[in-house]
Amino acid sequence: MYVCGNEDAALTYTMPDYQGGKIGLRTFYCQMGYDNFKVYSSVLETDTDKLDELIVRAENIAGGYTEHSKSALDYALSAARAAKSGGNQYEIDDACLKLEKAINALTRSHDFSLLGELIARAEKLDKNKYTANSYASLMSVLNHAKALSDTASEQEISVACERLNGCIEDLTELLEDKA
């Protein structure tokens, strides 16, 4: 406590933030008199500027991302809004980090339409019209193409399309006996 002359007494101390190890400064101003004792406290204001910017940035993100990465962004955005509306500075800083991480982790979804068309085309082919080796090769490539998930890179999709299209075109038809 600090008292000097006729000034109001001011008690200033630091309190560790139990969640983040950060130091928070708390100051109490006191008026002392014979019959009354008043305490005024001031708490550090929370800074939400960075969080506000990230929330606006996240809200303006259009579609075209994988479902998994978009749902992670939506979750982080929801948590950021909650921290902004009633969190302390530690929660706000944590929400900033998580929201920024979710924005940076967004993965673009790729156009699977050509691959889907090739898969449908390959599945319609009659195995009895082609040699066993060429049809087995097609089935191997077809199974690989079907196994690609929405996290596949654009290059993986492109390679699968090329391989599947190549196998369809390289199918060897069986010769019919005219006897």
Side-chain angles (χ1 to χ4, degrees):
M1 174 157 313
Y2 171 76
V3 179
C4 180
N6 292 329
E7 299 173 359
D8 289 339
L11 171 64
T12 302
Y13 69 96
T14 58
M15 185 170 128
D17 186 330
Y18 68 93
Q19 293 178 341
K22 297 180 181 177
I23 300 298
L25 180 65
R26 307 291 188 256
T27 302
F28 294 93
Y29 297 98
C30 307
Q31 285 183 337
M32 294 190 184
Y34 292 108
D35 295 326
N36 65 0
F37 181 76
K38 296 179 185 177
V39 176
Y40 304 93
S41 68
S42 62
V43 178
L44 295 177
E45 295 293 320
T46 54
D47 180 15
T48 61
D49 291 344
K50 182 177 180 185
L51 186 59
D52 290 336
E53 291 172 15
L54 287 170
I55 288 173
V56 168
R57 187 172 152 203
E59 289 173 338
N60 291 327
I61 291 176
Y65 295 96
T66 62
E67 186 177 324
H68 177 72
S69 66
K70 185 69 171 138
S71 67
L73 175 67
D74 291 341
Y75 181 79
L77 183 57
S78 174
R81 287 181 181 134
K84 180 184 173 189
S85 67
N88 61 33
Q89 190 63 49
Y90 170 78
E91 291 166 339
I92 291 169
D93 292 343
D94 187 51
C96 282
L97 290 173
K98 289 180 179 175
L99 186 55
E100 193 166 31
K101 182 178 178 183
I103 290 171
N104 292 334
L106 281 171
T107 305
R108 288 235 177 247
S109 58
H110 303 293
D111 186 9
F112 281 86
S113 59
L114 177 60
L115 185 59
E117 291 172 14
L118 288 170
I119 289 172
R121 184 174 157 204
E123 288 176 333
K124 289 180 185 176
L125 295 172
D126 182 7
K127 75 176 187 176
N128 296 322
K129 292 184 176 182
Y130 304 99
T131 63
N133 285 343
S134 66
Y135 195 79
S137 178
L138 172 66
M139 288 297 107
S140 173
V141 172
L142 177 62
N143 290 334
H144 174 73
K146 286 181 177 180
L148 288 177
S149 67
D150 64 347
T151 59
S153 70
E154 205 165 320
Q155 182 180 7
E156 289 173 318
I157 295 167
S158 178
V159 167
C161 286
E162 289 174 18
R163 290 183 67 205
L164 189 54
N165 192 43
C167 280
I168 291 171
E169 290 183 10
D170 290 343
L171 281 171
T172 306
E173 289 188 29
L174 289 173
L175 298 175
E176 293 183 27
D177 289 336
K178 295 186 180 182

